[in-house]
mmCIF file with all atom_site columns, all heavy atoms in Angstrom:
data_model
loop_
_atom_site.group_PDB
_atom_site.id
_atom_site.type_symbol
_atom_site.label_atom_id
_atom_site.label_alt_id
_atom_site.label_comp_id
_atom_site.label_asym_id
_atom_site.label_entity_id
_atom_site.label_seq_id
_atom_site.pdbx_PDB_ins_code
_atom_site.Cartn_x
_atom_site.Cartn_y
_atom_site.Cartn_z
_atom_site.occupancy
_atom_site.B_iso_or_equiv
_atom_site.pdbx_formal_charge
_atom_site.auth_seq_id
_atom_site.auth_comp_id
_atom_site.auth_asym_id
_atom_site.auth_atom_id
_atom_site.pdbx_PDB_model_num
ATOM 1   N N   . ARG A 1 1  ? 0.816   -1.209 -0.002  1.00 89.00 ? 1  ARG A N   1
ATOM 2   C CA  . ARG A 1 1  ? -0.001  -0.002 -0.004  1.00 89.00 ? 1  ARG A CA  1
ATOM 3   C C   . ARG A 1 1  ? 0.855   1.273  0.003   1.00 89.00 ? 1  ARG A C   1
ATOM 4   O O   . ARG A 1 1  ? 0.490   2.271  -0.619  1.00 89.00 ? 1  ARG A O   1
ATOM 5   C CB  . ARG A 1 1  ? -0.926  -0.003 1.206   1.00 89.00 ? 1  ARG A CB  1
ATOM 6   C CG  . ARG A 1 1  ? -1.968  1.122  1.186   1.00 89.00 ? 1  ARG A CG  1
ATOM 7   C CD  . ARG A 1 1  ? -2.803  1.139  2.460   1.00 89.00 ? 1  ARG A CD  1
ATOM 8   N NE  . ARG A 1 1  ? -3.814  2.169  2.397   1.00 89.00 ? 1  ARG A NE  1
ATOM 9   C CZ  . ARG A 1 1  ? -5.056  1.971  1.985   1.00 89.00 ? 1  ARG A CZ  1
ATOM 10  N NH1 . ARG A 1 1  ? -5.424  0.757  1.591   1.00 89.00 ? 1  ARG A NH1 1
ATOM 11  N NH2 . ARG A 1 1  ? -5.926  2.954  1.961   1.00 89.00 ? 1  ARG A NH2 1
ATOM 12  N N   . HIS A 1 2  ? 2.012   1.214  0.685   1.00 89.00 ? 2  HIS A N   1
ATOM 13  C CA  . HIS A 1 2  ? 2.849   2.423  0.757   1.00 89.00 ? 2  HIS A CA  1
ATOM 14  C C   . HIS A 1 2  ? 3.406   2.775  -0.624  1.00 89.00 ? 2  HIS A C   1
ATOM 15  O O   . HIS A 1 2  ? 3.634   3.950  -0.917  1.00 89.00 ? 2  HIS A O   1
ATOM 16  C CB  . HIS A 1 2  ? 3.987   2.247  1.759   1.00 89.00 ? 2  HIS A CB  1
ATOM 17  C CG  . HIS A 1 2  ? 4.992   1.193  1.394   1.00 89.00 ? 2  HIS A CG  1
ATOM 18  N ND1 . HIS A 1 2  ? 4.737   -0.155 1.492   1.00 89.00 ? 2  HIS A ND1 1
ATOM 19  C CD2 . HIS A 1 2  ? 6.261   1.307  0.895   1.00 89.00 ? 2  HIS A CD2 1
ATOM 20  C CE1 . HIS A 1 2  ? 5.801   -0.825 1.093   1.00 89.00 ? 2  HIS A CE1 1
ATOM 21  N NE2 . HIS A 1 2  ? 6.732   0.025  0.725   1.00 89.00 ? 2  HIS A NE2 1
ATOM 22  N N   . VAL A 1 3  ? 3.601   1.784  -1.504  1.00 92.00 ? 3  VAL A N   1
ATOM 23  C CA  . VAL A 1 3  ? 4.053   2.073  -2.857  1.00 92.00 ? 3  VAL A CA  1
ATOM 24  C C   . VAL A 1 3  ? 2.938   2.749  -3.641  1.00 92.00 ? 3  VAL A C   1
ATOM 25  O O   . VAL A 1 3  ? 3.162   3.730  -4.363  1.00 92.00 ? 3  VAL A O   1
ATOM 26  C CB  . VAL A 1 3  ? 4.509   0.786  -3.566  1.00 92.00 ? 3  VAL A CB  1
ATOM 27  C CG1 . VAL A 1 3  ? 4.886   1.083  -5.027  1.00 92.00 ? 3  VAL A CG1 1
ATOM 28  C CG2 . VAL A 1 3  ? 5.698   0.165  -2.837  1.00 92.00 ? 3  VAL A CG2 1
ATOM 29  N N   . ALA A 1 4  ? 1.709   2.237  -3.504  1.00 93.00 ? 4  ALA A N   1
ATOM 30  C CA  . ALA A 1 4  ? 0.573   2.861  -4.182  1.00 93.00 ? 4  ALA A CA  1
ATOM 31  C C   . ALA A 1 4  ? 0.365   4.298  -3.700  1.00 93.00 ? 4  ALA A C   1
ATOM 32  O O   . ALA A 1 4  ? 0.048   5.194  -4.498  1.00 93.00 ? 4  ALA A O   1
ATOM 33  C CB  . ALA A 1 4  ? -0.700  2.034  -3.948  1.00 93.00 ? 4  ALA A CB  1
ATOM 34  N N   . THR A 1 5  ? 0.562   4.511  -2.409  1.00 93.00 ? 5  THR A N   1
ATOM 35  C CA  . THR A 1 5  ? 0.420   5.878  -1.866  1.00 93.00 ? 5  THR A CA  1
ATOM 36  C C   . THR A 1 5  ? 1.461   6.811  -2.452  1.00 93.00 ? 5  THR A C   1
ATOM 37  O O   . THR A 1 5  ? 1.151   7.934  -2.871  1.00 93.00 ? 5  THR A O   1
ATOM 38  C CB  . THR A 1 5  ? 0.535   5.852  -0.335  1.00 93.00 ? 5  THR A CB  1
ATOM 39  O OG1 . THR A 1 5  ? -0.519  5.041  0.210   1.00 93.00 ? 5  THR A OG1 1
ATOM 40  C CG2 . THR A 1 5  ? 0.428   7.255  0.252   1.00 93.00 ? 5  THR A CG2 1
ATOM 41  N N   . ALA A 1 6  ? 2.712   6.357  -2.507  1.00 93.00 ? 6  ALA A N   1
ATOM 42  C CA  . ALA A 1 6  ? 3.789   7.192  -3.070  1.00 93.00 ? 6  ALA A CA  1
ATOM 43  C C   . ALA A 1 6  ? 3.574   7.442  -4.553  1.00 93.00 ? 6  ALA A C   1
ATOM 44  O O   . ALA A 1 6  ? 3.797   8.560  -5.047  1.00 93.00 ? 6  ALA A O   1
ATOM 45  C CB  . ALA A 1 6  ? 5.140   6.511  -2.836  1.00 93.00 ? 6  ALA A CB  1
ATOM 46  N N   . ALA A 1 7  ? 3.129   6.435  -5.288  1.00 94.00 ? 7  ALA A N   1
ATOM 47  C CA  . ALA A 1 7  ? 2.860   6.617  -6.721  1.00 94.00 ? 7  ALA A CA  1
ATOM 48  C C   . ALA A 1 7  ? 1.703   7.582  -6.928  1.00 94.00 ? 7  ALA A C   1
ATOM 49  O O   . ALA A 1 7  ? 1.721   8.416  -7.841  1.00 94.00 ? 7  ALA A O   1
ATOM 50  C CB  . ALA A 1 7  ? 2.556   5.272  -7.375  1.00 94.00 ? 7  ALA A CB  1
ATOM 51  N N   . GLY A 1 8  ? 0.682   7.494  -6.079  1.00 94.00 ? 8  GLY A N   1
ATOM 52  C CA  . GLY A 1 8  ? -0.432  8.431  -6.172  1.00 94.00 ? 8  GLY A CA  1
ATOM 53  C C   . GLY A 1 8  ? 0.002   9.859  -5.900  1.00 94.00 ? 8  GLY A C   1
ATOM 54  O O   . GLY A 1 8  ? -0.458  10.796 -6.570  1.00 94.00 ? 8  GLY A O   1
ATOM 55  N N   . GLU A 1 9  ? 0.893   10.030 -4.937  1.00 93.00 ? 9  GLU A N   1
ATOM 56  C CA  . GLU A 1 9  ? 1.420   11.371 -4.660  1.00 93.00 ? 9  GLU A CA  1
ATOM 57  C C   . GLU A 1 9  ? 2.133   11.918 -5.891  1.00 93.00 ? 9  GLU A C   1
ATOM 58  O O   . GLU A 1 9  ? 2.002   13.108 -6.212  1.00 93.00 ? 9  GLU A O   1
ATOM 59  C CB  . GLU A 1 9  ? 2.392   11.308 -3.469  1.00 93.00 ? 9  GLU A CB  1
ATOM 60  C CG  . GLU A 1 9  ? 1.697   11.024 -2.136  1.00 93.00 ? 9  GLU A CG  1
ATOM 61  C CD  . GLU A 1 9  ? 2.689   10.765 -1.018  1.00 93.00 ? 9  GLU A CD  1
ATOM 62  O OE1 . GLU A 1 9  ? 3.912   10.678 -1.311  1.00 93.00 ? 9  GLU A OE1 1
ATOM 63  O OE2 . GLU A 1 9  ? 2.251   10.639 0.139   1.00 93.00 ? 9  GLU A OE2 1
ATOM 64  N N   . ALA A 1 10 ? 2.873   11.051 -6.566  1.00 92.00 ? 10 ALA A N   1
ATOM 65  C CA  . ALA A 1 10 ? 3.562   11.493 -7.779  1.00 92.00 ? 10 ALA A CA  1
ATOM 66  C C   . ALA A 1 10 ? 2.582   11.886 -8.874  1.00 92.00 ? 10 ALA A C   1
ATOM 67  O O   . ALA A 1 10 ? 2.784   12.876 -9.592  1.00 92.00 ? 10 ALA A O   1
ATOM 68  C CB  . ALA A 1 10 ? 4.508   10.387 -8.279  1.00 92.00 ? 10 ALA A CB  1
ATOM 69  N N   . LEU A 1 11 ? 1.496   11.127 -9.018  1.00 91.00 ? 11 LEU A N   1
ATOM 70  C CA  . LEU A 1 11 ? 0.480   11.463 -10.016 1.00 91.00 ? 11 LEU A CA  1
ATOM 71  C C   . LEU A 1 11 ? -0.163  12.809 -9.695  1.00 91.00 ? 11 LEU A C   1
ATOM 72  O O   . LEU A 1 11 ? -0.380  13.645 -10.592 1.00 91.00 ? 11 LEU A O   1
ATOM 73  C CB  . LEU A 1 11 ? -0.584  10.379 -10.071 1.00 91.00 ? 11 LEU A CB  1
ATOM 74  C CG  . LEU A 1 11 ? -0.187  9.021  -10.661 1.00 91.00 ? 11 LEU A CG  1
ATOM 75  C CD1 . LEU A 1 11 ? -1.345  8.029  -10.554 1.00 91.00 ? 11 LEU A CD1 1
ATOM 76  C CD2 . LEU A 1 11 ? 0.257   9.165  -12.107 1.00 91.00 ? 11 LEU A CD2 1
ATOM 77  N N   . GLY A 1 12 ? -0.483  13.037 -8.442  1.00 88.00 ? 12 GLY A N   1
ATOM 78  C CA  . GLY A 1 12 ? -1.112  14.295 -8.061  1.00 88.00 ? 12 GLY A CA  1
ATOM 79  C C   . GLY A 1 12 ? -0.179  15.474 -8.164  1.00 88.00 ? 12 GLY A C   1
ATOM 80  O O   . GLY A 1 12 ? -0.615  16.615 -8.403  1.00 88.00 ? 12 GLY A O   1
ATOM 81  N N   . ASN A 1 13 ? 1.108   15.213 -8.013  1.00 85.00 ? 13 ASN A N   1
ATOM 82  C CA  . ASN A 1 13 ? 2.089   16.290 -8.012  1.00 85.00 ? 13 ASN A CA  1
ATOM 83  C C   . ASN A 1 13 ? 2.550   16.664 -9.413  1.00 85.00 ? 13 ASN A C   1
ATOM 84  O O   . ASN A 1 13 ? 2.954   17.802 -9.646  1.00 85.00 ? 13 ASN A O   1
ATOM 85  C CB  . ASN A 1 13 ? 3.304   15.862 -7.196  1.00 85.00 ? 13 ASN A CB  1
ATOM 86  C CG  . ASN A 1 13 ? 4.158   17.036 -6.766  1.00 85.00 ? 13 ASN A CG  1
ATOM 87  O OD1 . ASN A 1 13 ? 3.639   18.085 -6.398  1.00 85.00 ? 13 ASN A OD1 1
ATOM 88  N ND2 . ASN A 1 13 ? 5.465   16.858 -6.805  1.00 85.00 ? 13 ASN A ND2 1
ATOM 89  N N   . ALA A 1 14 ? 2.479   15.733 -10.364 1.00 76.00 ? 14 ALA A N   1
ATOM 90  C CA  . ALA A 1 14 ? 3.075   15.976 -11.676 1.00 76.00 ? 14 ALA A CA  1
ATOM 91  C C   . ALA A 1 14 ? 2.158   15.637 -12.838 1.00 76.00 ? 14 ALA A C   1
ATOM 92  O O   . ALA A 1 14 ? 1.856   16.473 -13.674 1.00 76.00 ? 14 ALA A O   1
ATOM 93  C CB  . ALA A 1 14 ? 4.389   15.193 -11.803 1.00 76.00 ? 14 ALA A CB  1
ATOM 94  N N   . ALA A 1 15 ? 1.688   14.386 -12.908 1.00 74.00 ? 15 ALA A N   1
ATOM 95  C CA  . ALA A 1 15 ? 0.939   13.954 -14.077 1.00 74.00 ? 15 ALA A CA  1
ATOM 96  C C   . ALA A 1 15 ? -0.414  14.643 -14.194 1.00 74.00 ? 15 ALA A C   1
ATOM 97  O O   . ALA A 1 15 ? -0.822  15.035 -15.287 1.00 74.00 ? 15 ALA A O   1
ATOM 98  C CB  . ALA A 1 15 ? 0.756   12.430 -14.048 1.00 74.00 ? 15 ALA A CB  1
ATOM 99  N N   . LEU A 1 16 ? -1.112  14.801 -13.084 1.00 73.00 ? 16 LEU A N   1
ATOM 100 C CA  . LEU A 1 16 ? -2.416  15.435 -13.152 1.00 73.00 ? 16 LEU A CA  1
ATOM 101 C C   . LEU A 1 16 ? -2.329  16.897 -13.605 1.00 73.00 ? 16 LEU A C   1
ATOM 102 O O   . LEU A 1 16 ? -3.061  17.309 -14.520 1.00 73.00 ? 16 LEU A O   1
ATOM 103 C CB  . LEU A 1 16 ? -3.123  15.335 -11.798 1.00 73.00 ? 16 LEU A CB  1
ATOM 104 C CG  . LEU A 1 16 ? -4.537  15.896 -11.733 1.00 73.00 ? 16 LEU A CG  1
ATOM 105 C CD1 . LEU A 1 16 ? -5.454  15.202 -12.721 1.00 73.00 ? 16 LEU A CD1 1
ATOM 106 C CD2 . LEU A 1 16 ? -5.093  15.732 -10.309 1.00 73.00 ? 16 LEU A CD2 1
ATOM 107 N N   . PRO A 1 17 ? -1.435  17.715 -13.045 1.00 71.00 ? 17 PRO A N   1
ATOM 108 C CA  . PRO A 1 17 ? -1.296  19.080 -13.561 1.00 71.00 ? 17 PRO A CA  1
ATOM 109 C C   . PRO A 1 17 ? -0.851  19.127 -15.015 1.00 71.00 ? 17 PRO A C   1
ATOM 110 O O   . PRO A 1 17 ? -1.218  20.050 -15.753 1.00 71.00 ? 17 PRO A O   1
ATOM 111 C CB  . PRO A 1 17 ? -0.240  19.699 -12.638 1.00 71.00 ? 17 PRO A CB  1
ATOM 112 C CG  . PRO A 1 17 ? -0.342  18.914 -11.382 1.00 71.00 ? 17 PRO A CG  1
ATOM 113 C CD  . PRO A 1 17 ? -0.632  17.512 -11.831 1.00 71.00 ? 17 PRO A CD  1
ATOM 114 N N   . ALA A 1 18 ? -0.052  18.159 -15.459 1.00 67.00 ? 18 ALA A N   1
ATOM 115 C CA  . ALA A 1 18 ? 0.380   18.137 -16.858 1.00 67.00 ? 18 ALA A CA  1
ATOM 116 C C   . ALA A 1 18 ? -0.813  17.927 -17.784 1.00 67.00 ? 18 ALA A C   1
ATOM 117 O O   . ALA A 1 18 ? -0.883  18.489 -18.874 1.00 67.00 ? 18 ALA A O   1
ATOM 118 C CB  . ALA A 1 18 ? 1.425   17.045 -17.078 1.00 67.00 ? 18 ALA A CB  1
ATOM 119 N N   . LEU A 1 19 ? -1.753  17.096 -17.336 1.00 65.00 ? 19 LEU A N   1
ATOM 120 C CA  . LEU A 1 19 ? -2.935  16.828 -18.143 1.00 65.00 ? 19 LEU A CA  1
ATOM 121 C C   . LEU A 1 19 ? -3.906  18.002 -18.111 1.00 65.00 ? 19 LEU A C   1
ATOM 122 O O   . LEU A 1 19 ? -4.612  18.271 -19.090 1.00 65.00 ? 19 LEU A O   1
ATOM 123 C CB  . LEU A 1 19 ? -3.627  15.562 -17.625 1.00 65.00 ? 19 LEU A CB  1
ATOM 124 C CG  . LEU A 1 19 ? -4.870  15.079 -18.388 1.00 65.00 ? 19 LEU A CG  1
ATOM 125 C CD1 . LEU A 1 19 ? -4.485  14.634 -19.796 1.00 65.00 ? 19 LEU A CD1 1
ATOM 126 C CD2 . LEU A 1 19 ? -5.522  13.921 -17.647 1.00 65.00 ? 19 LEU A CD2 1
ATOM 127 N N   . LEU A 1 20 ? -3.928  18.719 -16.998 1.00 64.00 ? 20 LEU A N   1
ATOM 128 C CA  . LEU A 1 20 ? -4.892  19.808 -16.799 1.00 64.00 ? 20 LEU A CA  1
ATOM 129 C C   . LEU A 1 20 ? -4.176  21.095 -16.424 1.00 64.00 ? 20 LEU A C   1
ATOM 130 O O   . LEU A 1 20 ? -4.311  21.596 -15.314 1.00 64.00 ? 20 LEU A O   1
ATOM 131 C CB  . LEU A 1 20 ? -5.885  19.417 -15.701 1.00 64.00 ? 20 LEU A CB  1
ATOM 132 C CG  . LEU A 1 20 ? -6.669  18.132 -15.935 1.00 64.00 ? 20 LEU A CG  1
ATOM 133 C CD1 . LEU A 1 20 ? -7.376  17.699 -14.677 1.00 64.00 ? 20 LEU A CD1 1
ATOM 134 C CD2 . LEU A 1 20 ? -7.654  18.310 -17.079 1.00 64.00 ? 20 LEU A CD2 1
ATOM 135 N N   . PRO A 1 21 ? -3.377  21.672 -17.335 1.00 54.00 ? 21 PRO A N   1
ATOM 136 C CA  . PRO A 1 21 ? -2.568  22.837 -16.980 1.00 54.00 ? 21 PRO A CA  1
ATOM 137 C C   . PRO A 1 21 ? -3.377  24.079 -16.654 1.00 54.00 ? 21 PRO A C   1
ATOM 138 O O   . PRO A 1 21 ? -2.875  25.001 -16.039 1.00 54.00 ? 21 PRO A O   1
ATOM 139 C CB  . PRO A 1 21 ? -1.700  23.048 -18.227 1.00 54.00 ? 21 PRO A CB  1
ATOM 140 C CG  . PRO A 1 21 ? -2.476  22.440 -19.343 1.00 54.00 ? 21 PRO A CG  1
ATOM 141 C CD  . PRO A 1 21 ? -3.180  21.257 -18.736 1.00 54.00 ? 21 PRO A CD  1
ATOM 142 N N   . ARG A 1 22 ? -4.628  24.130 -17.075 1.00 60.00 ? 22 ARG A N   1
ATOM 143 C CA  . ARG A 1 22 ? -5.427  25.330 -16.813 1.00 60.00 ? 22 ARG A CA  1
ATOM 144 C C   . ARG A 1 22 ? -6.114  25.286 -15.445 1.00 60.00 ? 22 ARG A C   1
ATOM 145 O O   . ARG A 1 22 ? -6.795  26.216 -15.060 1.00 60.00 ? 22 ARG A O   1
ATOM 146 C CB  . ARG A 1 22 ? -6.494  25.516 -17.896 1.00 60.00 ? 22 ARG A CB  1
ATOM 147 C CG  . ARG A 1 22 ? -5.927  25.777 -19.288 1.00 60.00 ? 22 ARG A CG  1
ATOM 148 C CD  . ARG A 1 22 ? -7.034  26.125 -20.274 1.00 60.00 ? 22 ARG A CD  1
ATOM 149 N NE  . ARG A 1 22 ? -8.032  25.073 -20.324 1.00 60.00 ? 22 ARG A NE  1
ATOM 150 C CZ  . ARG A 1 22 ? -7.933  23.978 -21.088 1.00 60.00 ? 22 ARG A CZ  1
ATOM 151 N NH1 . ARG A 1 22 ? -6.840  23.790 -21.814 1.00 60.00 ? 22 ARG A NH1 1
ATOM 152 N NH2 . ARG A 1 22 ? -8.895  23.083 -21.107 1.00 60.00 ? 22 ARG A NH2 1
ATOM 153 N N   . GLY A 1 23 ? -5.967  24.171 -14.727 1.00 59.00 ? 23 GLY A N   1
ATOM 154 C CA  . GLY A 1 23 ? -6.593  24.065 -13.426 1.00 59.00 ? 23 GLY A CA  1
ATOM 155 C C   . GLY A 1 23 ? -8.068  23.762 -13.542 1.00 59.00 ? 23 GLY A C   1
ATOM 156 O O   . GLY A 1 23 ? -8.526  23.124 -14.477 1.00 59.00 ? 23 GLY A O   1
ATOM 157 N N   . GLY A 1 24 ? -8.842  24.231 -12.591 1.00 68.00 ? 24 GLY A N   1
ATOM 158 C CA  . GLY A 1 24 ? -10.267 23.952 -12.570 1.00 68.00 ? 24 GLY A CA  1
ATOM 159 C C   . GLY A 1 24 ? -10.590 22.808 -11.622 1.00 68.00 ? 24 GLY A C   1
ATOM 160 O O   . GLY A 1 24 ? -9.738  22.285 -10.913 1.00 68.00 ? 24 GLY A O   1
ATOM 161 N N   . ARG A 1 25 ? -11.850 22.414 -11.604 1.00 80.00 ? 25 ARG A N   1
ATOM 162 C CA  . ARG A 1 25 ? -12.312 21.354 -10.724 1.00 80.00 ? 25 ARG A CA  1
ATOM 163 C C   . ARG A 1 25 ? -12.225 19.999 -11.435 1.00 80.00 ? 25 ARG A C   1
ATOM 164 O O   . ARG A 1 25 ? -12.574 19.892 -12.615 1.00 80.00 ? 25 ARG A O   1
ATOM 165 C CB  . ARG A 1 25 ? -13.745 21.631 -10.266 1.00 80.00 ? 25 ARG A CB  1
ATOM 166 C CG  . ARG A 1 25 ? -13.810 22.777 -9.254  1.00 80.00 ? 25 ARG A CG  1
ATOM 167 C CD  . ARG A 1 25 ? -15.243 23.155 -8.979  1.00 80.00 ? 25 ARG A CD  1
ATOM 168 N NE  . ARG A 1 25 ? -15.857 23.780 -10.145 1.00 80.00 ? 25 ARG A NE  1
ATOM 169 C CZ  . ARG A 1 25 ? -17.162 23.992 -10.261 1.00 80.00 ? 25 ARG A CZ  1
ATOM 170 N NH1 . ARG A 1 25 ? -17.983 23.595 -9.313  1.00 80.00 ? 25 ARG A NH1 1
ATOM 171 N NH2 . ARG A 1 25 ? -17.641 24.577 -11.344 1.00 80.00 ? 25 ARG A NH2 1
#
């Protein structure tokens, strides 16, 4: 589970903003 948590943190920190650079909900 700790690996999934760390990978999720990486997604929220980098991949998600890359996909949605304009922000929003």
